[in-house]
Amino acid sequence: MQAFLTLLISTPYEKLSVRTIMAQAGVTRTVFYVYFDNKDDLARETLATQLEDVILRVSQAFTSARTMDMQTTAESLRLLRSKQAIIRRLFAIQRKQLHLRAEFQNQVAQSISAQVRRYWPNTPPRQQDYFAQLFAASMIATILWFFQHQDVSEADLVQVINTCVFQGLAQLLTD
């Protein structure tokens, strides 16, 4: 994966070949295909690895008091900022059968959906699903906005997320 990330910084995804990635990594074709089905599979796994901690933190975004965990959210933002260059590159990969940003958004929605069922169990399923999808879409928009606004601190953005996204969207949930 590290060889892929190194190459991705200087080479557009479309121009990368499995052969080039293998040469950079110093592995044989057999070794590559033990771990990955193809280049797209490698890209998916790389994004999942880069955002694993973020997904974990998102899965803990709500507290039992039905509030947003501000510290966990700030930690996620710091982690995102530290990986900004590679996440931007990975999010930009769009092919007929590969859209990493959409796949990440679906992972976030699944994580949020589980939290909503846990903390708002009496909310109708369609509202739970809508909240999770809207929250995930908002998260993608927030990440991209955050990357464009280097002057915004994590603490300031946490306040905005809490007010605009969490509190605003939480009104969709009922008990």
Side-chain angles (χ1 to χ4, degrees):
M1 281 189 216
Q2 190 56 49
F4 172 67
L5 289 172
T6 300
L7 289 167
L8 191 60
I9 289 170
S10 61
T11 310
Y13 181 77
E14 299 75 28
K15 294 188 181 206
L16 284 177
S17 68
V18 170
R19 178 172 286 166
T20 305
I21 297 165
M22 291 182 323
Q24 177 76 20
V27 299
T28 65
R29 187 174 201 75
T30 304
V31 170
F32 179 89
Y33 286 108
V34 164
Y35 294 100
F36 309 105
D37 292 336
N38 52 43
K39 179 176 76 167
D40 292 351
D41 189 37
L42 171 60
R44 278 187 190 93
E45 289 297 319
T46 301
L47 182 65
T49 299
Q50 292 298 307
L51 293 174
E52 189 173 27
D53 289 340
V54 173
I55 294 284
L56 176 62
R57 284 181 172 86
V58 165
S59 72
Q60 302 165 349
F62 303 147
T63 69
S64 58
R66 298 180 182 178
T67 59
M68 187 178 81
D69 184 328
M70 308 284 255
Q71 181 176 348
T72 298
T73 303
E75 290 168 4
S76 295
L77 292 170
R78 278 190 284 286
L79 183 62
L80 283 166
R81 187 164 265 165
S82 73
K83 297 179 177 192
Q84 176 179 338
I86 198 61
I87 291 170
R88 278 181 180 233
R89 286 282 202 171
L90 291 166
F91 273 4
I93 297 172
Q94 295 183 37
R95 295 169 42 118
K96 187 175 182 177
Q97 300 194 359
L98 179 69
H99 193 291
L100 293 180
R101 188 169 50 189
E103 291 180 22
F104 173 68
Q105 185 172 329
N106 286 335
Q107 288 176 320
V108 169
Q110 289 173 7
S111 177
I112 294 299
S113 188
Q115 286 187 63
V116 169
R117 284 191 303 276
R118 179 177 173 196
Y119 293 122
W120 288 273
N122 297 326
T123 300
R126 280 193 175 154
Q127 281 179 254
Q128 291 177 356
D129 182 58
Y130 182 72
F131 175 87
Q133 293 295 328
L134 199 53
F135 190 96
S138 295
M139 183 173 173
I140 295 294
T142 300
I143 290 169
L144 296 174
W145 185 89
F146 184 54
F147 287 170
Q148 292 173 351
H149 294 85
Q150 297 296 316
D151 60 324
V152 175
S153 72
E154 289 88 358
D156 288 343
L157 186 53
V158 166
Q159 291 300 322
V160 172
I161 293 168
N162 185 48
T163 303
C164 298
V165 179
F166 182 75
Q167 291 178 17
L169 293 180
Q171 296 301 313
L172 296 170
L173 305 172
T174 59
D175 277 327

